[in-house]
Every structure is written in C-alpha cells, then in structure tokens.
Amino acid sequence: MKEVMTVEFDEGAGAVLRIQPLRAPRDENIYECVAENSEGEISVQAKLSIIREDLLPAGFPNIDMGPQLKVVERTRTATMLCAASGNPDPEITWFKDFLPIDPSTSNGRIKQLRSEAIESTPIRGALQIENTEETDQGKYECVASNVEGVRYSSPANLYVRELREVRRVPPRFSITPPTMQEIMPGGSINITCVAVGSPMPYVKWMLNSEDLTPEDEMPVGRNVLELNDVHESANYTCMAMSSLGIIEANSQIIVKSLPKPPGTPVVTETTATSITITWDSGNPEPVSHYIIQYRAKSPESKFETVESITTTRYSIGGLSPNTDYEIRVSAYNTIGQGPPSEPVEARTGEQAPASPPCNIQARIISQNTMMVRWDEPEEPNGQIKGYRVYYTMDPSQPMSMWHIHNVQDSVITTIQSLVATETYTIRVLAFTSVGDGPFSDPIHVKVLQGVPGQPTNFQVGEVSDTSVELTWEPVFEKEGIISYELHYSEGRQESQVKKTFGPTSSYVVQGLRANTEYFFSLAAVSNKGIGAFTNEISQRTSQASM
C-alpha cells in the first residue's frame, strides 16, 4: 500500500516529502519544492530515479549494519549504530521521525561518530545522544549516499524511559486497531496497533490462541499485522504488556465478496411508457441497494441505469411505446457491484400515433375521382390499424363537418363522387387500437383531369435583404407541367403579386424590401389548367447591410 506524506520541520522552515514503498516507473518523476511568504516564492526541482535491485551499479551504497531497537533511561547516553559500504565511500546521515538530524543544532549533545574505511571494513557513522530526553524518543534511520545513489536502513525505535524512581505508567493503546474491517477474498490488509506506557510495553498479535509474533522478535510500542491473500474471516487480538500489566484489543476481519446476481426479474405490469418489475434478492446477506439496467432491443441502443433502489420492486418510466426492452438487475454491497441477473424482456403497450402520416399526395384520375396516397407515420406508437382521410371543399368548417373516408391495410385510396372543377382540401390521420393520431398538414387538389397536383415540400431556401429563394417538388408526372404560378404579398395585404415562369424546382423572388415579412403560395399549370395552390409560407427578408 503506497503512502505519501509531507513532514514539516518544527520551526516551519522546511519539509520532507516521503514516498514508501517506491515503485518503478510509478514514482519516477520530477518533484518540486516551493517556499513562499508574503514577499514572494521560490522553488527547486529534483528528479527521482528508481533502480531495480538486480540492476544496481557496483558501487551503489549498501547498509551492512542498521540501527537496532534501543531502550535507555532518561539522562543516559544512547548510541545508534550504522555501517555502510560503497564506491566511493558513502556519506552517512541520520533521520528521526522522517526528518533529517542536524547535530550542530544540539549544542554538542548529539554527535555523529565517524571512522574511515580500512581495507574491507565498512564506513561507520554511529549517532551518539548524550543526556537523553523524552524528545529524543522516536524512529531512527541511517542513510548512506554517494554518487551512485541513496540507501535507507530499516527503521529502529529509540525509547527513553523515565528514571526508575519516577512514577511508572501501565500500558495503554494510543492507536487501537479497527474493531471490524471488510475485505474481498484474496485481499490484503495491514492492521496497526500502538501502545505506550512506562516502561514501554511489548506488543504482539494473536489469532485465537496462536501467537503470530515470535517471542524473540516482539517489538516495543508498535506492531503492524500484515495479512495477505485472505480468504477466511477471523478475529485477531493485539496484546500490549509490560511489568505493570497486559491489555488487549480485538479486530474482526470479515471476508466479504461481491453480492450474487439477483433472481431473474418478473414483469408485473406494463403501460405504453413504463414497465414494472419485481425480483428476488438472491443474496442471503443484506445488500446496500440495487441497480437496474435497461435498453431498447436494437443493435445501436445502450444500457441506461437506475441506481440506489432499496426495494425489490420498481417501475421504469419514460419508455417509448410499443417497444421491446431488455432489463437486468444487479445488487450492491459495501464491497461493490455484483454481476447482473439474467435479463427479462418486455414490450411496452401501444399509444395513439404521435405523428401524422407523411408525404401526403393527391391527383385527379377521372372526371370526379381522385387518388390519395401517403407514407406511414414516423412515430406510430403501435400497430397501425388504418387511416382516416378527411376532405372538404370548405376548409373553414370544423373537422367534424368534413367528409371522412376510412382506409385499412393500405397507404393509397381513391375517393369518388367529387364536384368537378372544385378545389378540395385533404388531411390524413393514422390510428391504432388505442386511438387516433394527429392530422397531417392540409394539401389541396383541383377536380379537373390533367391539371397538376399541388407542389410538395414548398419551402424557403436562401434569403437576402432583397430576395427570397423558394424550392419545391412536383407531384406525380412533371411532363404535363408547362409553367408555375407564384402568388406573394407583402404582409397581409390583399393585393398580391403574380409571377409565372417555366417548369423548374426553384425560383428566386427579387426586388423585395429589407426586413419585411412576405407570404408565398405556388401552383403548377398544365395544358388543362392551373392546379391547387400550396398552403402559404412566410419569410422575413434580412436587414439591409450598412
């Protein structure tokens, strides 16, 4: 487990960045130290390079003898030993509680004893502390460094006891291990137990009646239990002991795996926009919550997620009508999300169509008969049961007064008994078993055989401050069209301008006024006469350029 810490000097004049354990290439980087105050800031950078143990250069420093656990009485002298070798001879420095020790600041109380290397005798740099104080107690490390690199010793604790005549203190825990912790099967965990007292207590770990800490290696004050590849739950006991008593603290490690998949969901209710499901937890132990994933059954659709469900029944809303869905459920506990259940498939109910039939077209095929055709709605919301064609010679009448022609299983029909030379307005809707959908936009047709139908897709193209481009598509055969007649007006004025031009699919109206709304309508002309005009469309010209 990686630990990164910043340890500041007591005076606040510096800090140490510590990374342990180091891993390459994860921790290789350039690190920057920044110092700042009210007058400004300054920074310096250092590059950290990490060398594998089997690739170390020949002269890389080696700790031949590191410091050992030491207990001294206050005011006595303590000596922490260190021996190192390397080429060139390494320089030895010391750290206490992760901060460097500067003997020059101790008024001679702390000295670093040096001896030169003689033949194969390693460099020695013992640390001697005279007249020890409680503040000298802590974790010491010696560091050997030369041009090839830096090597840290294993840490060793120095404990400073009170003089024997001073009052003695029974052991107590300063860091108590967690009473319970959950991990996944095969996981690893470190449990820390720290005790203090006077004299300092020894600390050991036990599993039931089994000693996990060898008697000859029992540390003083602090003991970290390292557990790897754990597959069974167990209760561990930390014991701290001294001549003044024994104390215990228990820590329960629970091996908890991800939850099992819930039972296959069961569909209990469907509407046009929702599906209600229930499911069995599938887990003997409680779970935190459930997660539902659902998607429409099409190749390009992706799962959508509903989280934090605390019951085993849920209604998924906002769905599309008449659509097949795939639904699955996962359980979530303190470890994480488990695998999903087997999916269930369900189809939402029908609704009335949400859009009208598309591309309505009509043409006169005899003296009093017209043919009407269309395309299916883009949003049918169910199975289309049929269509209703509404038609009238007076579009100002309410729709209930129009003639209705019902059509089943077809997108084309003929309507007879029309009045010759009259112009009819036509609208079409689709219906499902639930109800009628919306009406299409009206189209117009003139009952005169050989007269062209109403142009379709009549719309505005490019617009400027003095012109508007209009585009359209002819209905049915374009060979019979000899010209087009365009009517337009400025605003809602009664007077209209008429333009006639040859067969084409676009026309640019010129000479218009800037920033003015115009209304346009178009009809096709054949040798038999002029057809029905389109519905009016409007467009405002652009602002005049300065």
Side-chain angles (χ1 to χ4, degrees):
M1 182 180 298
K2 176 180 175 181
E3 184 177 3
V4 180
M5 66 175 73
T6 302
V7 186
E8 295 187 359
F9 289 68
D10 290 340
E11 301 82 11
V16 170
L17 176 67
R18 188 177 184 94
I19 305 170
Q20 63 181 30
L22 285 175
R23 294 286 186 270
R26 179 190 70 185
D27 300 319
E28 289 190 316
N29 215 324
I30 295 176
Y31 296 85
E32 184 176 27
C33 174
V34 179
E36 60 182 0
N37 61 16
S38 59
E39 300 299 324
E41 70 174 43
I42 189 171
S43 65
V44 64
Q45 293 183 338
K47 181 179 180 181
L48 173 61
S49 299
I50 304 172
I51 307 174
R52 276 175 35 187
E53 192 74 31
D54 57 346
L55 298 179
L56 293 176
F60 196 90
N62 187 59
I63 303 293
D64 299 301
M65 182 179 66
Q68 302 296 314
L69 170 69
K70 188 173 291 290
V71 181
V72 297
E73 290 186 339
R74 188 168 60 85
T75 72
R76 307 293 187 188
T77 297
T79 303
M80 307 293 284
L81 300 179
C82 182
S85 57
N87 187 16
D89 292 336
E91 179 74 15
I92 291 180
T93 55
W94 286 85
F95 277 65
K96 173 182 177 288
D97 295 333
F98 309 133
L99 292 174
I101 297 174
D102 184 2
S104 64
T105 63
S106 66
N107 297 323
R109 194 174 64 84
I110 301 176
K111 302 182 181 67
Q112 188 166 338
L113 308 178
R114 302 181 181 275
S115 61
E116 299 297 328
I118 303 174
E119 296 179 354
S120 60
T121 303
I123 290 291
R124 296 185 181 275
L127 187 71
Q128 181 174 287
I129 307 171
E130 298 176 351
N131 192 23
T132 54
E133 304 170 352
E134 288 185 11
T135 56
D136 296 322
Q137 185 166 287
K139 179 185 293 186
Y140 287 77
E141 299 165 287
C142 79
V143 182
S145 57
N146 63 13
V147 295
E148 297 295 344
V150 178
R151 174 89 72 172
Y152 279 69
S153 73
S154 297
N157 284 320
L158 171 65
Y159 296 101
V160 180
R161 294 177 176 173
E162 288 293 330
L163 295 175
R164 296 189 184 280
E165 60 270 24
V166 176
R167 183 174 62 90
R168 297 159 73 88
V169 179
R172 65 177 178 84
F173 289 114
S174 59
I175 298 179
T176 306
T179 55
M180 186 187 73
Q181 204 150 344
E182 295 178 343
I183 62 172
M184 292 185 64
S188 301
I189 188 172
N190 292 347
I191 316 174
T192 300
C193 182
V194 178
V196 294
S198 181
M200 283 295 292
Y202 291 97
V203 181
K204 71 175 181 177
W205 280 98
M206 298 188 69
L207 173 59
N208 299 323
S209 59
E210 177 188 357
D211 253 333
L212 301 180
T213 306
E215 287 290 337
D216 55 350
E217 297 178 12
M218 194 181 303
V220 173
R222 175 188 175 95
N223 195 333
V224 178
L225 177 63
E226 297 182 1
L227 301 175
N228 298 306
D229 194 26
V230 180
H231 288 275
E232 293 183 2
S233 301
N235 292 323
Y236 295 87
T237 302
C238 175
M239 299 183 64
M241 61 198 76
S242 73
S243 57
L244 299 181
I246 300 174
I247 57 175
E248 297 181 358
N250 294 318
S251 183
Q252 184 182 22
I253 304 302
I254 299 176
V255 178
K256 190 170 184 179
S257 59
L258 292 172
K260 298 177 181 179
T264 304
V266 176
V267 177
T268 59
E269 183 182 356
T270 60
T271 69
T273 58
S274 69
I275 297 174
T276 301
I277 58 172
T278 61
W279 61 92
D280 180 73
S281 171
N283 288 273
E285 296 183 3
V287 299
S288 302
H289 58 267
Y290 297 95
I291 297 170
I292 291 178
Q293 295 176 305
Y294 65 95
R295 68 176 178 182
K297 288 201 67 181
S298 59
E300 68 278 1
S301 67
K302 297 181 179 179
F303 276 106
E304 296 188 54
T305 302
V306 183
E307 298 186 351
S308 302
I309 301 168
T310 56
T311 64
T312 55
R313 182 183 184 275
Y314 191 79
S315 182
I316 307 168
L319 305 180
S320 299
N322 196 46
T323 303
D324 288 315
Y325 282 89
E326 177 184 352
I327 307 168
R328 62 191 189 188
V329 182
S330 300
Y332 197 98
N333 64 11
T334 53
I335 300 298
Q337 181 178 345
S341 67
E342 290 294 323
V344 65
E345 296 180 3
R347 187 178 184 88
T348 51
E350 293 187 349
Q351 271 187 340
S355 62
C358 307
N359 193 25
I360 314 299
Q361 299 180 7
R363 63 178 296 194
I364 302 303
I365 57 175
S366 69
Q367 185 176 359
N368 62 355
T369 302
M370 69 175 168
M371 180 182 69
V372 185
R373 70 180 185 187
W374 56 88
D375 294 334
E376 291 185 352
E378 293 182 354
E379 298 178 75
N381 283 351
Q383 182 179 354
I384 300 297
K385 295 294 186 181
Y387 299 89
R388 307 191 206 282
V389 181
Y390 286 69
Y391 62 100
T392 184
M393 291 185 293
D394 183 5
S396 64
Q397 289 184 327
M399 295 298 298
S400 60
M401 302 295 292
W402 291 31
H403 299 287
I404 303 176
H405 181 77
N406 291 315
V407 180
Q408 289 185 337
D409 301 325
S410 180
V411 292
I412 188 169
T413 190
T414 58
I415 301 176
Q416 300 176 338
S417 303
L418 303 177
V419 180
T421 73
E422 290 291 338
T423 297
Y424 281 83
T425 300
I426 304 161
R427 302 181 76 176
V428 185
L429 63 78
F431 62 90
T432 65
S433 59
V434 178
D436 292 351
F439 284 102
S440 66
D441 290 333
I443 67 165
H444 312 286
V445 64
K446 190 172 184 179
V447 185
L448 187 59
Q449 194 170 3
V451 169
Q454 173 186 306
T456 60
N457 292 332
F458 184 47
Q459 58 189 352
V460 174
E462 294 185 3
V463 178
S464 74
D465 57 345
T466 60
S467 67
V468 172
E469 179 189 30
L470 302 170
T471 65
W472 61 88
E473 295 177 9
V475 176
F476 300 110
E477 302 85 0
K478 58 191 286 187
E479 291 79 15
I481 298 174
I482 60 173
S483 64
Y484 285 93
E485 185 171 307
L486 174 68
H487 293 181
Y488 68 92
S489 63
E490 182 180 316
R492 285 299 186 183
Q493 296 180 3
E494 291 187 4
S495 60
Q496 288 188 327
V497 179
K498 297 182 181 180
K499 295 284 186 180
T500 302
F501 43 88
T504 182
S505 59
S506 66
Y507 183 77
V508 179
V509 185
Q510 305 279 2
L512 304 179
R513 295 173 58 185
N515 194 29
T516 302
E517 187 175 27
Y518 286 86
F519 292 84
F520 304 92
S521 183
L522 181 72
V525 182
S526 70
N527 288 324
K528 297 292 185 177
I530 188 169
F533 277 86
T534 63
N535 299 317
E536 278 189 334
I537 61 173
S538 64
Q539 177 61 48
R540 182 175 292 276
T541 52
S542 305
Q543 292 273 10
S545 56
M546 301 300 291

